[in-house]
């Protein structure tokens, strides 16, 4: 019931519909972007298509996730829900899956639109492209769970800002490992290494290069990254449940 109501609420969101329309327009303009460099047309079309799909998913996850629980607390509608015989972790899971399936529906529509568009302009899509899309969904899961954690400890604007910074940092970590080797101070080096080891590395889940170049992705890599991402989703949902349990409602 919680997941169903959340799905309906987020699916009808006007901002979601506007962003979906802009993403479709961006996908349909990928051919025009490719004219800049005709010799790399296939790469540019797929890169830009994946970017449009990712951009929509990330923005929607941040925007909706940051407001998801805060609105319930602010309007006190959460009291109606928790008065029923359900645990608070079930409330968290219901909100998570409701938002995730709502974004999944829109992303799936974008993927189908892009796939049909590629067929029409004769751009072949390999299996790597669909693996890349699958791991975009996994990134969305992580972002939603993180935004729910932040929404329980801060206002929506701050929560959205923190989640965006988290997403950017998840890719910036790729260069942090090189920075560790340049740090001479032992304490600073240890702190930097700890941050690198603890923070989820979202760049692990980025298979855009393989998708645009038609390169195969080893099954072992897919399995490792899949388990890695799911583990972080579970961790953040667990943290969100703990934070909600500690709130006096």
């Amino acid at each position: 019931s919680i997941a169903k109501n959340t799905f309906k609420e987020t699916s009808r969101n006007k901002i979601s519909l506007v962003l979906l329309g802009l993403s479709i327009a961006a996908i349909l303009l990928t051919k025009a972007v490719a004219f800049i460099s005709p010799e790399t047309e296939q790469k540019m079309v797929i890169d830009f298509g994946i970017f449009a799909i990712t951009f929509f998913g990330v923005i929607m996850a941040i925007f909706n996730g940051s407001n998801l629980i805060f609105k319930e607390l602010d309007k006190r509608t959460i009291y109606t829900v928790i008065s029923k015989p359900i645990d608070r972790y079930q409330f968290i899971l219901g909100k998570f899956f409701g938002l995730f399936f709502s974004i999944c529906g829109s992303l799936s529509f974008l993927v189908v639109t892009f796939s049909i568009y590629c067929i029409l302009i004769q751009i072949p899509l390999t299996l790597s492209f669909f693996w890349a899309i699958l791991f975009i969904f996994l990134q969305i899961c992580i972002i939603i769970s993180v935004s729910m954690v932040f929404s329980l400890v801060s206002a929506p604007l701050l929560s959205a800002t923190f989640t965006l910074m988290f997403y950017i940092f998840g890719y910036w970590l790729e260069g942090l490992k090189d920075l560790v080797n340049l740090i001479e101070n032992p304490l600073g080096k240890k702190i930097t290494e700890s941050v690198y080891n603890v923070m989820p590395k979202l760049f692990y889940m980025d298979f855009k290069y393989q998708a645009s170049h038609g390169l195969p992705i080893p099954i072992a890599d897919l399995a490792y990254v899949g388990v890695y991402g799911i583990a972080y989703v579970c961790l953040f949902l667990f943290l969100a449940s703990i934070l909600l349990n500690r709130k006096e409602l």
Side-chain angles (χ1 to χ4, degrees), residues 72-73 75-84 248-249:
E72 299 279 357
L73 294 170
K75 295 179 179 178
R76 299 185 180 276
T77 51
I78 192 172
Y79 293 101
T80 306
V81 179
I82 62 174
S83 63
K84 298 176 181 179
E248 296 181 4
L249 299 174

Side-chain angles (χ1 to χ4, degrees), residues 2 6-7 20 27 39-40 58 60 74 83 90 94 99 110 115 137 140 144 151 164 167 186 211-212 218 241 247:
I2 296 171
T6 303
F7 177 86
L20 180 61
I27 284 173
E39 63 275 8
T40 58
V58 168
M60 290 317 303
D74 189 49
S83 63
Q90 292 175 307
L99 178 54
L110 287 177
S115 299
F137 280 73
I140 298 302
I144 293 172
S151 71
L164 179 61
Y167 176 74
S212 61
S241 298
K247 281 191 173 291

Side-chain angles (χ1 to χ4, degrees), residues 211-237:
S212 61
H213 289 79
L215 300 174
I217 306 170
I219 296 297
D221 291 354
L222 295 170
Y224 171 77
V225 176
V227 173
Y228 176 87
I230 291 170
Y232 271 105
V233 173
C234 293
L235 173 63
F236 289 123
L237 288 176

